[in-house]
Amino acid sequence: MNSEEHQHRISKAFLFIETHIKESLSLNRVARSAFYTPFHFHRVFKEVTGETLNGYITRRRLEHCSAILLNEPGVPVSSIAETYGFSNASAFSRAFKKHFGMSPSSFRTEAPSKFSKIRIVESKNGIPVTHFEPYFRSIDNILNFIAMNATFEIKEVPNKHVAYLTHVGLMTQTQGYEKIMRWARPKGYMDLPDLVMTSMYLDSAKVTAPEKVRVNIGIVLPEPVKEESGIHYMELNPGRCVVGSFTLGFSEFEKAWVSIFVWINEQGYKVRDMPPFEFYYNDFRTHPEQKSIVDICVPIE
């Protein structure tokens, strides 16, 4: 799928949201409008817009509401809140103040002088204009990243013996790696000539806050081991997977995950009900560019 086709799909999602902005907009419903599966769409949308789908929809609703506050002074705040799907006027006021820094009533009286030049006032028939071009550049960036950085294959990944611990928190995984390496070092496992570390993601960041995402952080071993305090053992049976091979800086991991799900969607594969995982083949601290050599593996049917 080329950049033009991705732009066409994302455009359909944007336009669907705008057309149905006053209605309930679930992930499934918006994803269908763009011919993506929900599983892939939430990652692609976040990478393209820099916002979650719910965050984007809430922002667009608030911007629509701001146009009514500016252009239709006789419409009650409670009516605006109800029209755009807020549970009540208080919830609307809280969301509005968080976004604009003032209450809807204050905005209505002060915005004409303070906000006359900002984008929300640009409108067609009183409705705020959405500028899609920056999002299209993001799509191009994803596709360029795939072309320059990724190698994808369908593989039967062999069974692995893995010693692991369960760590909570996406941004603090280093702590989990340090802990399991302290366990492995005196046993000689850190001296294995083909040392491989692994992360398996038990929760999806689309529904779980990053600081609460559970990750099984482990080391691939040549044989089974007995479990100890905090250290568990499993035989990993991946089977058929899409494997994306990358050399990544820390800031590139999110884009790599987006790219593999874009590729899976393009090729029409169906993701299996098994957590995705990563294999690490080096210590990024010893790499000349501080990068990780990693396979991202997504089990498929």
Side-chain angles (χ1 to χ4, degrees), residues 64-284:
H64 278 260
C65 292
S66 72
I68 296 174
L69 288 167
L70 286 174
N71 299 309
E72 301 181 46
V75 179
V77 170
S78 58
S79 177
I80 298 173
E82 181 180 359
T83 298
Y84 283 91
F86 292 91
S87 56
N88 53 56
S90 296
F92 170 58
S93 293
R94 286 194 299 271
F96 195 93
K97 187 171 184 179
K98 183 178 179 181
H99 185 71
F100 288 105
M102 63 178 67
S103 69
S105 298
S106 297
F107 183 92
R108 176 168 263 165
T109 58
E110 298 178 28
S113 59
K114 286 189 174 182
F115 293 89
S116 60
K117 294 183 179 179
I118 67 174
R119 176 166 294 178
I120 60 161
V121 185
E122 296 178 13
S123 62
K124 183 177 182 180
N125 299 324
I127 300 302
V129 172
T130 301
H131 298 265
F132 294 156
E133 290 81 1
Y135 301 137
F136 294 158
R137 288 195 291 272
S138 296
I139 294 169
D140 287 336
N141 289 339
I142 294 171
L143 298 179
N144 289 336
F145 180 87
I146 293 173
M148 296 176 64
N149 296 277
T151 300
F152 297 118
E153 297 181 82
I154 307 299
K155 290 184 177 181
E156 287 289 333
V157 179
N159 294 357
K160 309 282 187 183
H161 301 294
V162 177
Y164 72 96
L165 56 84
T166 300
H167 177 79
V168 179
L170 282 181
M171 304 307 295
T172 58
Q173 290 184 64
T174 301
Q175 298 172 13
Y177 277 103
E178 290 173 348
K179 183 175 179 180
I180 199 157
M181 286 190 289
R182 285 197 298 270
W183 170 85
R185 191 167 286 112
K187 301 177 184 301
Y189 293 133
M190 295 306 296
D191 298 321
L192 291 170
D194 53 353
L195 176 67
V196 178
M197 307 293 289
T198 182
S199 292
M200 174 178 282
Y201 297 92
L202 306 181
D203 299 302
S204 170
K206 79 174 181 179
V207 295
T208 304
E211 67 274 12
K212 295 182 180 179
V213 170
R214 296 167 301 150
V215 188
N216 282 348
I217 293 174
I219 179 171
V220 178
L221 302 176
E223 69 277 318
V225 294
K226 292 184 178 179
E227 297 192 351
E228 301 179 19
S229 177
I231 303 296
H232 309 284
Y233 165 78
M234 68 174 167
E235 183 176 358
L236 180 61
N237 303 296
R240 189 171 185 240
C241 295
V242 173
V243 179
S245 299
F246 301 88
T247 300
L248 300 171
F250 180 78
S251 63
E252 297 175 307
F253 272 84
E254 178 65 22
K255 189 167 287 186
W257 277 97
V258 170
S259 72
I260 197 168
F261 285 111
V262 167
W263 191 86
I264 289 170
N265 189 69
E266 288 181 347
Q267 303 300 316
Y269 292 110
K270 185 175 181 181
V271 175
R272 190 155 27 104
D273 186 19
M274 176 182 177
F277 53 93
E278 300 164 334
F279 289 135
Y280 292 88
Y281 300 103
N282 75 315
D283 183 344
F284 75 91

Side-chain angles (χ1 to χ4, degrees), residues 40-87:
H40 302 121
F41 180 73
H42 84 276
R43 287 184 176 273
V44 175
F45 191 88
K46 174 74 180 296
E47 180 66 23
V48 167
T49 65
E51 299 174 87
T52 64
L53 178 62
N54 284 340
Y56 177 87
I57 291 169
T58 297
R59 177 172 64 81
R60 291 299 297 144
R61 283 174 173 159
L62 290 170
E63 291 173 349
H64 278 260
C65 292
S66 72
I68 296 174
L69 288 167
L70 286 174
N71 299 309
E72 301 181 46
V75 179
V77 170
S78 58
S79 177
I80 298 173
E82 181 180 359
T83 298
Y84 283 91
F86 292 91
S87 56

